[in-house]
Amino acid sequence: MHQQQSLPLPETGAAIRVYDIPSPRGVVLICPGGSYRFVAEGEEWPVALRFNRGGYAAVTLDYACTDKAAPESIPLGTLPLRQLV
C-alpha cells in the first residue's frame, strides 16, 4: 500500500506528488506526457503505482500547461530539472 502526499512548487505553479512505500529500493521521477498542452493522467498515478509494486517510491510532476491555469507561473518547459527537485 502506498502513501500519497502532494507538495507545491510555488515558484513554478507546479507540484510534485509522492507515492511512497516502506523501505523503497530507490526513487523514480515521472513526468507525465502531453506536450505541455495537458498532463496525461494515465501516465501519472498508474505508472507510479506500478513502480510501487516493483519496490520503488515514485514522484510525479503535476505542471501547469496553459497561461490560464497559472498565469503567474514560469513555463515549466523553460526550467532546468535541477530547479524542480
Side-chain angles (χ1 to χ4, degrees):
M1 184 69 131
H2 72 277
Q3 297 176 11
Q4 181 182 348
Q5 179 181 9
S6 187
L7 305 168
L9 301 171
E11 295 175 12
T12 65
I16 57 173
R17 193 165 290 121
V18 179
Y19 296 80
D20 203 4
I21 58 172
S23 304
R25 295 170 40 184
V27 178
V28 294
L29 175 62
I30 301 164
C31 302
S35 302
Y36 297 106
R37 291 180 293 191
F38 63 94
V39 176
E41 194 173 305
E43 295 180 8
E44 190 172 357
W45 63 268
V47 175
L49 297 181
R50 187 164 181 134
F51 274 106
N52 280 171
R53 286 194 300 269
Y56 293 89
V59 176
T60 61
L61 181 61
D62 184 15
Y63 52 92
C65 299
T66 66
D67 291 338
K68 292 178 187 174
E72 71 286 350
S73 68
I74 300 166
L76 187 65
T78 64
L79 295 175
L81 185 58
R82 70 179 175 273
Q83 286 186 256
L84 299 173
V85 293

